Amino acid sequence: MTVRRDYQEPPRSRPDLVIGREDLFTSAREQLGRGGSVLLHGPAGIGKSTILRALAADYGGPDRTVLRCSATESESHLPFLALADLFGLVLDDVSGALPGAQRTALESALTGRGESTLQRDGLALRLAVLSALRALAAKGPVLVVADDLQWLDAASAELLGFAARRLGDTPVQMLCAVRTEGQEYDRHLPASPPDTLAVRLGPLTRTQVSALLDHRGYTPLSRSTIRDIHRTSGGNPLFALELGRALAESPTRPRPGEPLPVPTSLRALVLSRLEMLSDEARRTLLVASAGARPTLALLHAAGREHAEAETAQAAALGLLATDPEAPALRFAHPLISAALYAEAPAQERRAVHAALSTAASDPIERARHLALATTGTDPDVAARLAEAGAMARDRGAPSVAASLGLLAARHTPADGTPGSDERRLQAAEDAITAGEADLARDIARDVLTRATVPAERVRAWMVVIEAAGQALGEVDAVFPQVLADAGDDPRLLAQVHYQLAWRGLVVEGDFAEARQEAAHAAELAARGEDRRTELMALSFQASTETLMGHPDAPVTVKRALQEPQDPYVACHHNGAGSARFRWLIMSDQLPEARATITALLREVRRRGMVESEVHFLRFLADTELRSGHCGRALDLARESLRLARDSGIGEGASAMLASLAEASAGDVDRALALAREAADHAEVDGDQMYLSRALAALGYAQLVAGDPAATVRSLRRVRELEQGLGINDPGRGRWHGDLAEALVRIGEPGEAQDVIDTTRAHALRLGRQSVLAVLDRAEALVRAARGEHEAAAVRLTSVQDRLGRLGYGLEEARAAFALARLRAQAAASPRTGARSLLGPASYDEAARLFRRCRALPWLRQVDAAATAGPAAVEPAAAAPAVALDALEGLAAMERQVASLVMEGATNREIAARLFISVKTVEATLTRVYRKLGIRSRVDIVRLAAGRRTT
């Protein structure tokens, strides 16, 4: 939606920003671009007027006429008012083109002179409006913009409808907005042309509400607060902004379990209807508003004897939604419940909660109501809340457990056991599990202001570090403090060194250091009898060794899976089950990997472990993608990305996998954008490991998009990064075959063969059969580029069969496509022998396999190749002009930078294309100048020009 101008905006706001309505806006704009009309409809505050203004502004221009009217309820009884808004400023321009009777009738209606009425001047007025629109359209396209169509006076609505039905091919369009609560927009269509597109504006998602609040400057808000705003507003942008404003202006935030403050501006929308209720019915609705899932039975148990009649009265007033199939009562809009609760005095609210603390059937709900009915500290209430929190945790509702834990801390006496801070830290850990990192961090920071016990301080620091996610570089200053707090306690030190292992991997990009820290953490944890930390450290060590191609990886995986196991570690995304999954998928055991990750995903969903769910959805998508189930992979990847953006967890990793899935089964442009987004996330977080994954996804998307030169640039960078990280297992990123293929396409078969040979050595050592098959496919392309067509065809036939038996459906299809293109080249060759040896040219097999995979971007490539007819596989091109003899002594990065300078790229453009900093570009160029004996960029360009003329 476009942010309304009648709100005070921070200086960085742009009033034309569209949030959450991009697809809708594009659809409406395209309809207008085709010459059609648009009717926007939806409930009050949903953003219709905002979209209408943005579309009108987009449509306007010097050669177009835009007529506007905006009705209000208080003016809807005034005849011809909307007509006057539309034609008042253009009457002089069109009156000369109207017949006398029509001109008189229209002027009388617009000016109020002559007391024109539809009854007396009906036909003349109708024809006058139609003629006026045609006269304006003769000078250029016309757009009639009508907001709040429901308040349009009847006379104007009738006249516009008459003209709209008779405009035909006249270039007059209508852009209207009307308030509707359901789908009754069709009764407003008679006032629009027959080709009108009706567009319903629905509620915003939680992520869109978060973006809207952020744009308006209502930050920082915790994920739980945004969730409450989204729920209370029902996704209505106006309501969400008002709730955000109320929170921003409130000196204190609502305490756990309490609803959001509802500003007076929103209460006024519903309180007028509440005033029509009897006092008893209002009290009954207050009980319903306080209940988590109110039913008539609950209301009776809470002492509301006449609940049926009183809720029926509320339903008749539109306050409750009626659904005979649903046992629970539901407010017509969440805002009604929130406003009712906010309006009630505190004493009355406590009385309602006291009644519900005995009436509710669920023990968790009873404990929550008891807490909200109690003032001050009470050890018994605190104990009941802590028990309820443990029950919520076991049920897989860590967010509820965190809320109950904070309530328990609030009611814990100063000398209570366990203490209030211990309960706060448990709540913080539950918040981490629920994906509410910002809430967890705030709780931990608060505890650290008071805590003196080393164990509590280290526990709080661990929450702060966990809340940082992949951005561990942002909490570097924490590690010296937490090491000091840990002292020489092996249990505490084990937790710190486990986090240092992650830091070594994510921040330093050093797999060897990460492995060493993880092994040390496991040893310390075993000495301190902390089995959970020991298992987490072993799992991390196993995963690191797997990615390194370390020979100890299988042994460490077995150690991590030894009994006794910890149920939390077993299903954690960095736990033993996850380490086993990584080993299985990199060892080409796809069915076992799928079964493992499916079971893990089911368990973390049961436990409510949001962060693990984000990662396991991504892992399952990766498994399906490798298996050739590209459509299924795309669905899972999109689900992972939605959840990641909603929770703020693992966004970069999910964007990376979504890019791979989009490039294989969806939209290639979106794949490119997602890969760049993932790279940006990794750069911001300082995450070297995921930067290489993001760039590998970008290279694959560029290959699918038909840009092999860009693929080479991206994947060369990946190669350098992974060499620096010490990643030797080619089963991790599986980009090596794509790099070799792209190198062949740009005429660098020698470098392609070097990539193949180097990677093959590691794949043979580790037994990565699918990687070996993909490398053989790439080598076949090298041979074809060198004219060895028969050998290439034999190799591709073998590769296709091997990949099919391994279960890599997409890679099998790519081999079939390469073979079909090779045969097509042979079919066009004058050499009869080549045609007979390679076999008949047909793309049918490749098309069948890609269709089976639902690999639509690849299928489009097959269709294009088949339509183009016999065509040669890209021959080995002459070495590009930038491959100067003088550059051969430079390092790979130096050659890339020098080559881009020769193309005329600026330092900033080079940095963007190579995903390095501008300072790195400048430093690299300095080395290039020194090695080549030159002084500036100009000398590099001259060097290239001199080579081209020789």
Side-chain angles (χ1 to χ4, degrees):
M1 64 167 284
T2 304
V3 180
R4 290 165 48 113
R5 294 179 184 271
D6 52 347
Y7 282 88
Q8 186 176 359
E9 298 179 345
R12 63 189 182 86
S13 296
R14 282 176 37 229
D16 61 340
L17 181 66
V18 174
I19 293 176
R21 307 295 193 194
E22 293 83 359
D23 292 343
L24 179 151
F25 183 85
T26 299
S27 176
R29 183 171 57 187
E30 289 174 351
Q31 168 73 357
L32 292 173
R34 291 189 294 266
S37 297
V38 174
L39 175 66
L40 305 169
H41 65 99
I46 205 67
K48 302 179 299 298
S49 299
T50 303
I51 296 294
L52 180 136
R53 288 195 296 269
L55 287 168
D58 186 71
Y59 178 93
D63 59 336
R64 294 174 172 176
T65 300
V66 179
L67 308 177
R68 305 172 188 269
C69 69
S70 182
T72 63
E73 184 176 11
S74 61
E75 299 169 341
S76 60
H77 65 287
L78 300 174
F80 306 124
L81 186 61
L83 202 66
D85 288 341
L86 291 171
F87 291 104
L89 297 178
V90 297
L91 181 60
D92 292 341
D93 297 335
V94 299
S95 60
L98 304 182
Q102 294 180 23
R103 181 170 60 250
T104 301
L106 184 59
E107 289 177 347
S108 177
L110 297 184
T111 62
R113 296 191 296 271
E115 298 182 357
S116 177
T117 66
L118 274 180
Q119 286 73 23
R120 190 179 68 186
D121 302 318
L123 182 58
L125 265 176
R126 289 177 172 86
L127 293 175
V129 171
L130 180 59
S131 298
L133 289 172
R134 285 173 174 165
L136 290 169
K139 302 175 183 178
V142 176
L143 180 67
V144 177
V145 181
D147 198 4
D148 280 318
L149 204 61
Q150 74 278 1
W151 304 132
L152 217 65
D153 63 274
S156 297
E158 165 62 23
L159 292 170
L160 280 178
F162 176 87
R165 292 188 294 273
R166 290 163 176 80
L167 286 168
D169 295 333
T170 305
V172 176
Q173 300 164 256
M174 294 188 69
L175 173 60
C176 304
V178 62
R179 181 186 300 180
T180 57
E181 294 300 330
Q183 295 293 327
E184 70 277 13
Y185 67 90
D186 53 353
R187 65 188 179 91
H188 297 282
L189 285 176
S192 302
D195 64 345
T196 297
L197 172 69
V199 178
R200 176 170 178 77
L201 275 69
L204 298 179
T205 66
R206 187 190 303 175
T207 302
Q208 291 164 349
V209 166
S210 176
L212 179 63
L213 292 166
D214 179 65
H215 170 70
R216 295 303 300 275
Y218 299 140
T219 54
L221 296 173
S222 69
R223 177 173 175 259
S224 56
T225 301
I226 290 173
R227 181 189 61 209
D228 291 342
I229 290 176
H230 180 258
R231 182 181 63 243
T232 304
S233 68
N236 185 297
L238 175 63
F239 298 171
L241 286 171
E242 286 292 276
L243 290 168
R245 181 181 60 78
L247 277 172
E249 294 175 354
S250 174
T252 58
R253 297 289 169 90
R255 293 186 294 185
E258 293 182 345
L260 297 173
V262 180
T264 305
S265 58
L266 292 185
R267 293 188 201 183
L269 293 176
V270 296
L271 291 182
S272 58
R273 281 186 285 175
L274 289 172
E275 290 173 357
M276 301 173 68
L277 288 171
S278 65
D279 290 343
E280 290 302 311
R282 186 166 179 154
R283 291 192 187 94
T284 295
L285 281 196
L286 179 60
V287 175
S289 73
R293 193 172 180 271
T295 62
L296 289 172
L298 177 67
L299 295 178
H300 280 300
R304 307 311 301 165
E305 298 179 2
H306 306 292
E308 286 88 350
E310 289 158 357
T311 54
Q313 182 187 358
L317 292 172
L319 296 167
L320 291 177
T322 56
D323 185 355
E325 301 297 324
L329 299 170
R330 184 168 60 85
F331 284 88
H333 192 282
L335 186 62
I336 298 173
S337 172
L340 178 66
Y341 188 92
E343 190 72 9
Q347 185 176 355
E348 189 175 353
R349 290 202 297 260
R350 284 196 296 272
V352 165
H353 286 298
L356 289 170
S357 69
T358 57
S361 58
D362 184 81
I364 294 177
E365 191 65 11
R366 289 199 300 270
R368 184 180 75 87
H369 286 300
L370 179 62
L372 295 174
T374 305
T375 58
T377 59
D378 186 316
D380 293 334
V381 172
R384 282 187 59 181
L385 286 164
E387 291 170 5
M391 190 179 301
R393 198 175 306 118
D394 291 342
R395 288 184 185 178
S399 180
V400 175
S403 176
L404 291 167
L406 289 174
L407 284 171
R410 194 176 100 199
H411 290 287
T412 299
D415 57 350
T417 303
S420 59
D421 279 345
E422 185 174 346
R423 283 175 166 151
R424 286 188 181 90
L425 288 173
Q426 179 62 64
E429 291 165 353
D430 287 329
I432 286 284
T433 303
E436 299 183 19
D438 45 6
L439 174 62
R441 181 173 50 248
D442 291 345
I443 296 170
R445 292 285 188 186
D446 176 56
V447 170
L448 283 166
T449 62
R450 295 181 300 274
T452 56
V453 178
E456 279 192 358
R457 291 189 61 80
V458 170
R459 189 178 178 186
W461 285 126
M462 290 299 104
V463 170
V464 172
I465 294 170
E466 286 280 356
Q470 297 293 107
L472 284 175
E474 296 180 2
V475 292
D476 258 354
V478 166
F479 287 101
Q481 300 178 62
V482 69
L483 280 169
D485 284 332
D488 56 1
D489 187 326
R491 287 179 65 92
L492 301 181
L493 284 170
Q495 298 175 47
V496 181
H497 282 278
Y498 173 69
Q499 295 296 345
L500 283 170
W502 275 105
R503 185 192 175 280
L505 183 62
V506 173
V507 179
E508 299 298 334
D510 190 331
F511 272 69
E513 178 187 340
R515 175 180 177 270
Q516 183 178 348
E517 287 284 6
H520 185 42
E523 179 188 345
L524 287 166
R527 204 188 320 156
E529 298 182 351
D530 181 356
R531 183 60 174 164
R532 173 172 290 191
T533 302
E534 181 187 8
L535 288 172
M536 290 295 289
L538 286 170
S539 300
F540 180 78
Q541 181 183 344
S543 295
T544 305
E545 290 173 347
T546 299
L547 295 173
M548 294 172 69
H550 196 284
D552 290 348
V555 175
T556 310
V557 170
K558 288 181 181 179
R559 287 180 62 198
L561 290 169
Q562 284 176 351
E563 296 295 337
Q565 279 292 313
D566 182 295
Y568 172 83
V569 177
C571 65
H572 192 274
H573 60 280
N574 289 320
S578 184
R580 180 172 182 269
F581 163 78
R582 289 188 180 93
W583 172 254
L584 288 169
I585 199 167
M586 292 178 68
S587 302
D588 297 324
Q589 301 179 56
L590 296 182
E592 293 88 343
R594 181 186 293 105
T596 298
I597 200 62
T598 300
L600 288 170
L601 179 60
R602 187 185 310 117
E603 179 63 14
V604 298
R605 280 176 165 166
R606 187 188 72 79
R607 289 173 172 265
M609 298 169 68
V610 176
E611 184 174 7
S612 294
E613 182 180 358
V614 169
H615 291 294
F616 288 161
L617 280 168
R618 177 169 55 85
F619 292 170
L620 183 55
D622 188 17
T623 308
E624 299 295 4
L625 197 58
R626 295 180 189 226
S627 303
H629 306 150
C630 300
R632 169 71 171 149
L634 182 59
D635 292 341
L636 288 165
R638 286 174 173 172
E639 184 181 353
S640 173
L641 184 58
R642 280 195 299 270
L643 185 57
R645 286 177 171 165
D646 188 33
S647 63
I649 294 171
E651 292 182 72
S654 293
M656 176 274 298
L657 203 285
S659 171
L660 292 171
E662 290 284 354
S664 299
D667 185 295
V668 179
D669 288 338
R670 179 167 169 75
L672 292 166
L674 285 168
R676 293 187 177 104
E677 176 188 331
D680 288 343
H681 274 291
E683 290 276 21
V684 169
D685 292 343
D687 188 340
Q688 296 294 302
M689 183 173 64
Y690 265 106
L691 177 58
S692 72
R693 296 296 305 273
L695 292 176
L698 178 60
Y700 174 68
Q702 289 164 334
L703 184 68
V704 178
D707 190 350
T711 300
V712 168
R713 287 194 297 270
S714 297
L715 297 185
R716 277 176 176 163
R717 177 74 172 128
V718 175
R719 192 182 191 189
E720 291 176 3
L721 279 169
E722 295 204 349
Q723 285 174 349
L725 290 167
I727 298 175
N728 295 316
D729 193 334
R732 181 206 181 225
R734 304 177 63 84
W735 48 267
H736 314 76
D738 291 339
L739 174 55
E741 180 176 338
L743 284 165
V744 171
R745 292 192 187 184
I746 67 168
E748 295 283 0
E751 186 181 345
Q753 188 65 55
D754 178 63
V755 170
I756 293 166
D757 292 342
T758 303
T759 308
R760 182 179 281 141
H762 292 299
L764 282 169
R765 176 176 60 85
L766 296 167
R768 302 296 186 241
Q769 295 302 318
S770 63
V771 174
L772 289 167
V774 169
L775 292 173
D776 283 350
R777 184 184 69 205
E779 190 171 49
L781 300 180
V782 173
R783 291 191 174 191
R786 290 172 173 167
E788 303 172 22
H789 297 105
E790 294 85 349
V794 171
R795 179 66 60 89
L796 287 171
T797 302
S798 170
V799 165
Q800 181 183 339
D801 179 64
R802 286 157 59 197
L803 288 167
R805 282 188 278 107
L806 287 168
Y808 284 78
L810 182 59
E811 301 292 358
E812 177 192 4
R814 288 180 62 180
F817 186 27
L819 181 58
R821 294 174 69 184
L822 185 60
R823 285 172 172 167
Q825 179 192 19
S829 171
R831 293 175 55 219
T832 306
R835 291 197 297 270
S836 61
L837 284 173
L838 269 63
S842 172
Y843 288 98
D844 291 347
E845 174 70 358
R848 180 185 70 81
L849 292 173
F850 280 130
R851 195 174 292 112
R852 183 182 69 182
C853 294
R854 281 183 56 193
L856 300 182
W858 285 105
L859 190 59
R860 285 191 286 271
Q861 289 193 33
V862 173
D863 291 341
T867 302
V873 179
E874 295 92 336
V882 296
L884 307 177
D885 294 338
L887 301 188
E888 290 177 358
L890 301 180
M893 174 59 71
E894 293 166 352
R895 284 200 306 271
Q896 291 182 62
V897 171
S899 298
L900 290 172
V901 169
M902 292 174 181
E903 295 176 16
T906 65
N907 287 3
R908 188 170 296 280
E909 290 168 343
I910 294 170
R913 289 172 69 173
L914 297 181
F915 293 94
I916 57 179
S917 69
V918 175
K919 288 186 177 180
T920 302
V921 174
E922 293 169 352
T924 304
L925 278 175
T926 300
R927 293 195 301 271
V928 170
Y929 299 156
R930 185 175 63 251
K931 289 182 179 182
L932 297 183
I934 58 179
R935 297 182 179 181
S936 68
R937 297 167 58 94
V938 175
D939 292 331
I940 295 181
V941 176
R942 286 173 179 165
L943 186 63
R947 173 56 184 254
R948 292 189 183 103
T949 60
T950 58

